[in-house]
Amino acid sequence: MLSATGLPVIEATSFVSPKWVPQMADQVEVMKGIGRKPGVSYPVLTPNLKGFQAALKAGASEVAIFGAASELFSKKNINCSVEESLQRFEVIMKAAKEAGVPVRGYVSCVLGCPYEGKVAPEKVAHVAKRLYSMGCYEISLGDTIGVGTPGSMIEMLEAVSKEVPVNALAVHCHDTYGQALANILVALQMGISVVDSSVAGLGGCPYAQGASGNVATEDVVYMLHGLGIQTGVDLSKLMDAGAYICRTLNRKTSSKVAQANCKL
Amino acid sequence: MGNVPTTVKHCLSYEQLIQDYPWLKRWLQEEKTITGHEYPEFVKIVEVGPRDGLQNEKEIVPTGVKIQLIDMLSGTGLPVIEATSFVSSKWVPQMADHSDVLRGIQRAPHVRYPVLTPNMQGFKDAVAAGATEVAVFGSASETFSKKNINCSIDESMLRFEEVINTAKEQQIPVRGYVSCALGCPHEGHIEPSKVSEVAKRLYAMGCYEISLGDTIGVGTPGSMLKMLQSVIEEVPAHALAVHCHDTYGQALPNILTALQMGVCVVDSAVAGLGGCPYAQGSSGNVSTEDVLYMLHGIGIETGVNLAKVIEAGDFICNALRRKTNSKVAQATGRTL
């Protein structure tokens, strides 16, 4: 359904071990089962070489790797230091280059860490720079716990844009504290033109139980269209996809646009 | 802040600070530049939860609870708390206890407690109950005006003129509201020029501040910018406030846009009280907690203690047996 909305990129699945992420255990069937729309990319997460090889075998034509700007988060989340993870990624980058597969890099905890608290913008810039120089074509900067505000977003982007050109940056804002759209707005004002979001705001926050996580694609598109910015996305088709997944998951949408529209 | 100690600063309201340190006003209005965008040093929060919030809640709240909510809010540092509305209880039963509420609250020094007064009758009742500041409610949409207060915009202006003139004689300041500033549930798109026309009239009549309301929350930073550009030609930015509804999740970016245009007064409601009567089940007012979190994160002073506002929000949500609409309150209530 998302493939029909005009979205240019749809992150399809994750080739992480099902022991850690059981929700993505059907990664191969999903990859093989979707009807790929021409012109749309379907990147998948690949945390290590094994995952990369499995992804390629399942037909992936773009992959993503996930670094962190916080040492503690890296250790607790993927069981190694930031430096060790970057070395793992170098291995994937080499294989991806040989296979002609583009790689997107993520940096998590860019505006705060659930364990370390404040994260220095210079640390974010350092990790972003490493991923970019390794060959990632785009670096997505994630406010993993949604604590960022326009103040900290600007500070962080100023540091990162000194190391990575702004046209290779994306923002991945969580709406846990309701700040996502405001943060995205200032990122746009700083020249960022790639935004990550999730239909219906799917995905809660594992660090603040009951709180929201990803920003809702519907709400982002509503704002961008209101600003006169083109996205190529059909908002009503997007809302259909959101309604479908919420019905299936038996949960309310986290998108305010969807909530407002279905009851007028 | 130079010579004023931080602790003292937080105890005083903005108005008191300006009285004691006349040089401060100019200093505070100097803008703070963050990468080409300027933000005010200080933003005044106008807390509308007890009025706009409770007026739009399904459950009618007992007088004692209203008073307790306002008393709790009075202890947070909020400089303005809209206490109640002197509208006929036939139309707004939730505010039927207006006089009891106004008489029952413990007024904190340096906090203002404006009340809505749609006409002379309401104004007289408000003054009799001890009101020291009032507000009048205009609309940028003819259809909304007719359906909401049963008269045209022009007719409503005549009514307000009477209230404002009488208020002037009694030295009672009047705040003006313009609803449907970014869209109307009946007319749809609203021309920015219509908003500026109504804002200009209210300002010229003597309202000290005009609060521009995105009544159905359909506005985006795009339409907010266009509307403010038009209004600022007629009313100076320092006399403007924004009253954003979060029905489409756009309130915070809209407020941010307004701040970038020099507006430094923001209306909000604790716990995001008050749904949207035009989109059933949807949210209405933006949450004071979420606004504060954003402003403080940008380094803007408000004088408000966020933790105390969250407490007041918890109190009223328990009393209403409903969940908070504030994401900050939701997140801080349950962290691991």
Side-chain angles (χ1 to χ4, degrees), chain A residues 151-162:
Chain A
S152 54
M153 172 63 86
I154 286 170
E155 227 187 347
M156 184 275 294
L157 287 178
E158 276 175 341
V160 176
S161 54
K162 287 193 182 125

Side-chain angles (χ1 to χ4, degrees), chain B residues 2-318:
Chain B
N3 301 324
V4 179
T6 319
T7 44
V8 174
K9 190 174 54 164
H10 282 289
C11 295
L12 301 179
S13 74
Y14 177 55
E15 283 82 1
Q16 186 60 36
L17 277 172
I18 297 303
Q19 249 184 301
D20 294 348
Y21 303 94
W23 52 266
L24 204 54
K25 189 165 190 167
R26 197 181 62 80
W27 192 91
L28 287 173
Q29 243 102 66
E30 268 162 28
E31 283 147 345
K32 193 172 149 147
T33 306
I34 310 177
T35 328
H37 281 281
E38 296 164 339
Y39 295 92
E41 289 279 354
F42 181 92
V43 164
K44 178 174 81 170
I45 303 284
V46 174
E47 171 60 46
V48 299
R51 200 280 306 168
D52 193 9
L54 294 183
Q55 181 172 310
N56 285 298
E57 286 286 328
K58 284 193 302 268
E59 284 215 23
I60 294 190
V61 170
T63 309
V65 171
K66 286 189 180 112
I67 290 172
Q68 195 173 343
L69 173 65
I70 295 170
D71 287 347
M72 285 182 84
L73 292 169
S74 293
T76 61
L78 283 161
V80 185
I81 301 167
E82 201 174 64
T84 187
S85 175
F86 284 78
V87 181
S88 157
S89 50
K90 196 172 61 179
W91 300 116
V92 186
Q94 296 92 331
M95 300 282 124
D97 56 1
H98 38 62
S99 299
D100 295 333
V101 169
L102 201 51
R103 290 201 180 106
I105 57 174
Q106 290 181 19
R107 300 198 202 197
H110 318 309
V111 180
R112 290 153 74 152
Y113 300 90
V115 299
L116 249 65
T117 52
N119 48 38
M120 275 312 293
Q121 185 59 54
F123 178 78
K124 286 180 183 142
D125 292 343
V127 173
T132 44
E133 182 173 327
V134 300
V136 295
F137 232 98
S139 170
S141 152
E142 281 294 352
T143 316
F144 189 84
S145 188
K146 291 208 178 83
K147 286 190 185 255
N148 210 40
I149 53 174
N150 225 9
C151 64
S152 71
I153 295 176
D154 277 342
E155 286 163 347
S156 73
M157 292 291 134
L158 289 170
R159 255 183 233 178
F160 300 149
E161 204 164 15
E162 211 192 338
V163 171
I164 295 169
N165 287 338
T166 315
K168 263 187 209 157
E169 284 163 20
Q170 300 181 31
Q171 289 173 327
I172 290 176
V174 184
R175 189 188 208 224
Y177 280 92
V178 182
S179 56
C180 297
L182 297 177
C184 169
H186 315 292
E187 286 183 18
H189 174 73
I190 295 290
E191 278 301 320
S193 54
K194 189 70 191 182
V195 183
S196 34
E197 184 194 311
V198 177
K200 180 183 183 177
R201 281 180 78 173
L202 288 169
Y203 189 63
M205 275 196 259
C207 290
Y208 74 90
E209 191 171 273
I210 312 297
S211 173
L212 306 163
D214 181 12
T215 305
I216 47 170
V218 289
T220 63
S223 54
M224 172 64 85
L225 188 76
K226 286 198 183 103
M227 184 274 293
L228 284 176
Q229 278 172 338
S230 177
V231 176
I232 287 172
E233 278 171 17
E234 307 292 350
V235 180
H238 67 80
L240 293 175
V242 286
H243 183 113
C244 298
H245 278 195
D246 204 38
T247 320
Y248 288 74
Q250 308 295 307
L252 288 188
N254 290 346
I255 289 167
L256 192 69
T257 303
L259 297 176
Q260 291 175 352
M261 296 217 43
V263 173
C264 50
V265 183
V266 175
D267 298 1
S268 59
V270 62
L273 289 177
C276 179
Y278 304 96
Q280 219 196 345
S282 297
S283 61
N285 284 304
V286 67
S287 306
T288 302
E289 299 92 317
D290 299 2
V291 172
L292 286 172
Y293 187 91
M294 179 174 80
L295 297 178
H296 293 174
I298 297 173
I300 293 172
E301 299 275 0
T302 62
V304 184
N305 182 319
L306 173 55
K308 289 194 170 152
V309 177
I310 293 176
E311 267 174 44
D314 281 345
F315 163 75
I316 192 63
C317 288
N318 278 332

Side-chain angles (χ1 to χ4, degrees), chain A residues 29-86:
Chain A
E29 288 113 284
V30 168
M31 242 8 241
K32 291 196 168 130
I34 56 176
R36 297 199 208 196
K37 187 150 191 270
V40 180
S41 344
Y42 299 89
V44 299
L45 249 64
T46 54
N48 48 40
L49 193 59
K50 183 159 175 244
F52 175 77
Q53 284 157 349
L56 232 55
K57 198 160 163 226
S61 38
E62 181 174 327
V63 300
I65 55 184
F66 238 96
S70 149
E71 283 296 346
L72 269 176
F73 189 83
S74 189
K75 292 210 177 79
K76 287 197 186 249
N77 210 38
I78 53 174
N79 225 12
C80 62
S81 71
V82 172
E83 187 53 46
E84 283 164 347
S85 72
L86 290 171

Side-chain angles (χ1 to χ4, degrees), chain A residues 147 149 151 154 158 175-179 181 186 189 206-207 209 212 219 222-223 226 256 259-261 263-264, chain B residues 34-35 37 218 220 222 246-250 252-253 256 260 278 280 282-283 290 293-294 297 327 331 334 336:
Chain A
V147 289
T149 63
I154 286 170
E158 276 175 341
D175 204 37
T176 319
Y177 288 75
Q179 307 295 305
L181 289 187
V186 297
Q189 290 174 345
Y207 304 96
Q209 218 195 346
S212 63
D219 299 0
Y222 186 89
M223 180 175 79
K256 286 204 158 174
Q259 280 169 40
N261 271 289
K263 297 189 179 84
L264 267 170
Chain B
I34 310 177
T35 328
H37 281 281
V218 289
T220 63
D246 204 38
T247 320
Y248 288 74
Q250 308 295 307
L252 288 188
L256 192 69
Q260 291 175 352
Y278 304 96
Q280 219 196 345
S282 297
S283 61
D290 299 2
Y293 187 91
M294 179 174 80
K327 287 206 160 175
R334 294 187 188 85
L336 288 169

Side-chain angles (χ1 to χ4, degrees), chain A residues 19 55 135 139 147 210 226-227 230 264:
Chain A
K19 195 171 60 180
I139 312 297
V147 289
L227 276 160
Q230 304 269 11
L264 267 170

